[in-house]
Amino acid sequence: MNRWSGVRAAIGAPVESLAFYRISLGLLLFAELALRFNYLHAFYSEEGTLPMRLLGAEIDPIYRAVCVHCYSGSLVYQQVLLGAQCLVAALFTFGYRT
């Protein structure tokens, strides 16, 4: 018995088409994240459009705990976060542990 027969029966699609979907979704996600590097300073840093000192009083404490971008407004911190997101998108594209 083929080990993928249960997946085909449950999902109704061949594994190859699911892999194509995963790869194309990963490439789109990686491209979008890579293009976001141009706008880190303007939209994510403390010198940007909405600094954390102004946003801090307006947001919910639960959102502040969950959103990792709210932990720090420094540009280096935001670059590290976006780099980690790009790495995860690349791993998703290549199929690491999917």
Side-chain angles (χ1 to χ4, degrees):
M1 179 171 206
N2 188 357
R3 71 179 199 174
W4 295 107
S5 62
V7 173
R8 285 188 182 143
I11 298 174
V15 178
E16 293 83 12
S17 64
L18 292 175
F20 178 73
Y21 178 73
R22 175 187 47 81
I23 291 169
S24 60
L25 185 65
L27 286 173
L28 284 173
L29 180 63
F30 184 79
E32 194 273 329
L33 288 171
L35 290 174
R36 198 174 282 200
F37 267 106
N38 295 332
Y39 306 107
L40 271 180
H41 186 267
F43 293 113
Y44 290 94
S45 70
E46 282 291 328
E47 296 86 25
T49 57
L50 187 60
M52 283 300 299
R53 61 179 157 36
L54 296 177
L55 182 65
E58 302 292 326
I59 60 175
D60 188 68
I62 296 173
Y63 179 76
R64 188 179 297 131
V66 172
C67 180
V68 293
H69 288 280
C70 291
Y71 292 166
S72 174
S74 73
L75 187 61
V76 174
Y77 178 76
Q78 300 299 330
Q79 287 172 339
V80 168
L81 278 181
L82 195 57
Q85 290 172 351
C86 286
L87 177 67
V88 169
L91 292 174
F92 181 73
T93 302
F94 292 124
Y96 181 73
R97 295 195 180 219
T98 55

